[in-house]
Amino acid sequence: MSMAELLDHWSKECTRNGHLQFAACQSYARRRAWLTILNMFASIMTLYMSSSEKFRNVLDSTMQSIGHSMSFHPGLTAEILTGFVAAVVVASGAIQYLLRYDGRHIEHRLASGEYYNMARKIDRIRITGNITPDIVHSLSKEMNAALKCSPAVSQRFWKAANLIQGKKPEASPALA
């Protein structure tokens, strides 16, 4: 393989890795947004349910009309529902904290930018035709550093990237 072919291959790999990292970034940002929306909605509902007498009365009358045969205690249904929604608030907050979607999407965005910058740098070198073994060695070092610093990407992103490129599905280099 000539140095020009090697640079062409590296440019394509950097572009693909940039796409993969960006797809992961968007996925984690969407998950974070949905969990934030759920958390905000449940928090508002908990506040409303715990402070609104009208809500408790409506819920009590609804439960009385639904279940005549069940043993019904006025006010207990509203307390149970309020407790459940408060548990949803705690659970969604814990999930956000434990899964670190906020930090993960930023890490993937930074890695994506690094790969895209590397691909542009390789393309500039290919266009100028100034390809020397020293430059190739320097690019190899930079690519290794970028690979070591970038966060792992889920297998589903690798499978999607391979399907788009028409390759048969394969494991990611980090997992192989």
Side-chain angles (χ1 to χ4, degrees):
M1 179 181 282
S2 72
M3 284 192 274
E5 291 171 336
L6 180 64
L7 291 181
D8 184 51
H9 174 73
W10 283 354
S11 176
K12 288 177 184 175
E13 287 299 312
C14 285
T15 302
R16 181 178 75 155
N17 288 344
H19 291 325
L20 290 169
Q21 293 290 342
F22 188 71
C25 166
Q26 288 182 317
S27 175
Y28 291 132
R30 269 193 307 276
R31 291 177 190 181
R32 185 199 66 169
W34 281 111
L35 277 173
T36 301
I37 290 168
L38 172 67
N39 200 346
M40 290 174 61
F41 178 75
S43 297
I44 292 168
M45 289 303 297
T46 301
L47 181 63
Y48 177 73
M49 289 188 295
S50 65
S51 64
S52 173
E53 190 64 39
K54 185 176 181 179
F55 172 78
R56 290 183 188 153
N57 293 337
V58 168
L59 189 62
D60 284 344
S61 64
T62 304
M63 290 306 293
Q64 281 179 336
S65 65
I66 290 175
H68 287 294
S69 61
M70 300 187 316
S71 59
F72 176 74
H73 303 287
L76 185 61
T77 305
E79 289 178 28
I80 291 172
L81 187 59
T82 303
F84 175 75
V85 175
V88 169
V89 170
V90 171
S92 66
I95 289 170
Q96 276 186 311
Y97 176 75
L98 293 173
L99 296 179
R100 297 186 326 105
Y101 287 141
D102 214 17
R104 289 168 78 180
H105 97 273
I106 292 171
E107 290 172 1
H108 286 284
R109 186 185 58 186
L110 293 173
S112 171
E114 188 70 29
Y115 280 117
Y116 286 139
N117 286 336
M118 181 70 66
R120 284 194 303 273
K121 184 176 186 177
I122 292 170
D123 289 342
R124 281 192 307 271
I125 291 170
R126 285 178 39 219
I127 290 171
T128 61
N130 187 16
I131 305 171
T132 65
D134 289 337
I135 289 177
V136 171
H137 183 68
S138 172
L139 286 173
S140 176
K141 282 183 176 180
E142 288 181 46
M143 286 185 61
N144 287 337
L147 184 61
K148 287 179 185 176
C149 294
S150 64
V153 176
S154 167
Q155 278 292 80
R156 72 184 172 100
F157 294 114
W158 281 98
K159 288 177 184 175
N162 287 330
L163 290 175
I164 289 170
Q165 290 183 342
K167 295 181 180 178
K168 70 176 188 176
E170 60 185 45
S172 71
L175 300 175

